[in-house]
Structure formats: structure tokens, C-alpha cells
């Protein structure tokens, strides 16, 4: 059976590293992106340059109609999906809860939680012969991100619960659902939050005394997707340097 994977938020950071790694292993990859077409096409070009197969598809995965369209494109261009990496997400500028508006909170929850549910729904509908899903959560789900991103941390706590509940719901259908929880990883997300050098400020608090690389997270995602993890479901891998 051909392995066909969707990586949401696949144009940069952890998503891009995961897409490239999976393609090297023979997966046909859909690189989903929201707005940066150039970066998404660069990931596809890198994959094709290594002899792999990939397409880039624009879709806002927090939008139900966009998700339905995204999966229809995969159906027609690559075939029926067998694997899913839910990676797309946002973080907004650092802020205390006492300052957060309902608009901000709802934007984070819709982008970081609703999107995962929608993509899981469409993937499961197609995984008639089994499949594998990996959700990208965050160490923030355990740590809370006080005074910075409690809304983001709460959204990732929801992803942990989604992972556990869905893994039990679809286990009898031979669909595995697992989760990775990255900590301080060198991606553009810190710039999105208004502090590009956040890891440098906090690395002394990390037992390994450094931030992680996207490729290190990708390696665990790839393992959990693979047949080597065939008896693993509802499981969490923390990639936070010991924190």
C-alpha cells in the first residue's frame, strides 16, 4: 500500500522538516500551507530534488470548507490518505490572561484545536485499511506558559486530550493516534510571539542547556507514524530537553 501523508503547516519549521524526512522514506507528501506559497513550494522542490513526490496545497485548516477541499485535492492528486501529521498552529504575542480578549482566545483555540479535529475527521473517513495520526502538541500543555501564552498552552492541553480520546475511539479500526510535545525548538514561532531570542533567554532552564532542532522533532514524528511503532497508540513523546 502506498503511504500518503498530509503535513499541515508544512512550509516551515517542524512541518517542513517532517515533510522532507517522510519523503525520503518513500511517502507521497501533501505540504499544506496557509499563506507562504514560496516556502511551501521550496519544500516541494527539495523533496522532488531528492527523488520524492510532493504537492503543496493552500488551505486554512481552521476553516471547515478549506479542509474538505484540501482532502479532495489529496484524493485526486495523490490518492487516499494513510497518514496525517497535525502540525499547523499559531501563537500570538506574549500576554497575561488578565489582558486577553475573547477574540484572541477564540482565534487561538480555533486555529490550534478545531483544525486538528477537522483534519482527523477527514483522515479517518479515508483510512479504511488502518492508518496513523501524529498530533503536534507542546510542552506548554504540561507547563502552562504563565505570563506568556496560557491560551496557547490550553489549546495544546486540548490536543493531548484529543489524542488520548481519539486513540481509544479508532483503535479497533487499526488507526493509531499519538502525540509529540516539543519544548523550546528553533522555529519562527518565537518571532510570531514577539520574542525571536526567547530560547536564548530561557535555555539555562533547560536541562540539556539548548533549544531543539526541527529535525529532532521530525524524527520522533516519523517513528510514531511508521510500522516500527505498530503497537503504540495514545502515547506522548516529550521533546523538551528534559524540561
Amino acid at each position: 500500500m502506498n503511504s500518503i501523508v498530509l503535513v499541515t503547516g508544512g512550509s516551515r519549521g517542524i512541518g517542513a522538516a517532517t515533510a522532507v524526512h517522510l519523503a525520503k522514506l518513500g511517502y507521497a507528501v501533501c505540504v499544506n500551507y496557509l499563506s507562504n506559497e514560496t516556502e511551501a513550494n521550496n519544500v516541494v522542490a527539495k523533496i522532488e530534488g531528492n527523488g520524492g513526490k510532493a504537492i503543496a496545497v493552500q488551505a486554512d485548516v481552521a476553516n471547515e470548507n478549506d479542509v474538505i477541499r484540501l482532502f479532495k485535492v489529496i484524493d485526486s492528486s495523490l490518492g487516499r490518505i494513510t497518514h496525517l501529521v497535525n502540525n499547523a498552529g499559531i501563537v500570538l504575542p506574549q500576554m497575561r490572561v488578565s489582558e486577553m480578549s475573547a477574540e484572541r482566545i477564540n482565534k487561538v483555540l480555533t486555529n490550534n484545536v478545531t483544525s486538528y479535529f477537522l483534519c482527523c475527521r477527514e483522515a479517518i473517513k479515508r483510512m479504511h485499511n488502518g492508518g496513523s495520526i501524529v498530533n503536534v502538541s507542546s510542552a506548554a500543555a504540561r507547563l502552562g506558559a504563565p505570563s506568556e501564552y496560557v491560551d496557547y498552552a490550553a489549546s495544546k492541553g486540548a490536543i493531548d486530550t484529543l489524542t488520548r480520546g481519539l486513540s481509544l475511539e479508532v483503535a479497533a479500526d487499526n488507526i493509531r493516534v499519538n502525540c509529540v510535545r516539543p519544548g523550546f525548538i528553533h522555529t519562527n514561532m518565537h518571532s510570531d510571539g514577539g520574542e525571536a531570542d526567547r530560547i536564548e533567554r530561557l535555555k539555562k532552564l533547560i536541562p540539556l542547556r539548548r533549544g531543539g532542532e526541527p529535525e529532532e522533532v521530525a524524527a520522533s514524528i516519523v517513528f510514531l507514524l511508521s510500522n516500527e511503532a505498530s503497537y503504540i497508540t495514545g502515547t506522548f513523546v516529550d521533546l523538551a530537553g528534559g524540561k
Side-chain angles (χ1 to χ4, degrees):
M1 181 176 66
N2 293 331
S3 295
I4 299 169
V5 62
L6 165 62
V7 181
T8 68
S11 66
R12 66 177 191 171
I14 292 169
T18 302
V20 170
H21 194 151
L22 288 168
K24 288 179 179 178
L25 296 175
Y27 290 74
V29 182
C30 176
V31 178
N32 158 252
Y33 67 97
L34 175 61
S35 58
N36 201 323
E37 182 178 11
T38 299
E39 285 190 358
N41 286 335
N42 286 342
V43 174
V44 170
K46 185 173 183 179
I47 289 171
E48 292 178 339
N50 291 329
K53 182 175 183 180
I55 59 172
V57 181
Q58 188 283 330
D60 178 357
V61 289
N63 179 292
E64 186 170 22
N65 289 331
D66 270 21
V67 171
I68 292 170
R69 173 178 57 80
L70 168 62
F71 276 82
K72 286 181 177 178
V73 172
I74 297 170
D75 290 341
S76 61
S77 299
L78 299 177
R80 193 167 62 207
I81 191 172
T82 58
H83 298 74
L84 167 65
V85 180
N86 269 320
N87 168 72
I90 64 168
V91 63
L92 297 178
Q94 296 173 0
M95 185 179 293
R96 294 176 64 88
V97 171
S98 58
E99 301 169 337
M100 291 180 183
S101 66
E103 180 182 10
R104 172 192 165 116
I105 296 164
N106 289 333
K107 183 175 183 179
V108 169
L109 293 177
T110 300
N111 278 276
N112 293 0
V113 181
T114 302
S115 62
Y116 280 41
F117 271 86
L118 292 173
C119 289
C120 283
R121 184 191 76 189
E122 292 303 309
I124 289 165
K125 288 179 180 180
R126 291 161 169 82
M127 292 178 174
H128 304 313
N129 297 314
S132 183
I133 297 170
V134 173
N135 294 321
V136 179
S137 177
S138 172
R142 297 182 289 106
L143 302 173
S147 301
E148 294 185 340
Y149 311 114
V150 172
D151 52 350
Y152 173 80
S155 75
K156 293 304 185 179
I159 297 311
D160 287 2
T161 303
L162 166 64
T163 299
R164 186 59 184 154
L166 185 60
S167 72
L168 297 172
E169 187 170 296
V170 299
D173 300 316
N174 195 31
I175 299 172
R176 298 184 300 104
V177 186
N178 290 293
C179 187
V180 295
R181 291 190 289 213
F184 297 107
I185 309 299
H186 289 289
T187 71
N188 291 334
M189 185 165 276
H190 303 289
S191 296
D192 296 344
E195 188 183 1
D197 296 328
R198 184 168 177 251
I199 292 177
E200 188 63 27
R201 173 171 65 86
L202 296 172
K203 69 180 183 181
K204 63 181 179 295
L205 302 176
I206 304 169
L208 286 182
R209 296 293 192 270
R210 67 174 180 86
E213 297 299 331
E215 291 76 13
E216 292 177 297
V217 181
S220 287
I221 293 173
V222 170
F223 168 71
L224 289 172
L225 285 179
S226 75
N227 289 333
E228 293 181 336
S230 58
Y231 203 53
I232 300 174
T233 195
T235 293
F236 300 84
V237 175
D238 290 311
L239 298 135
K243 189 169 176 61

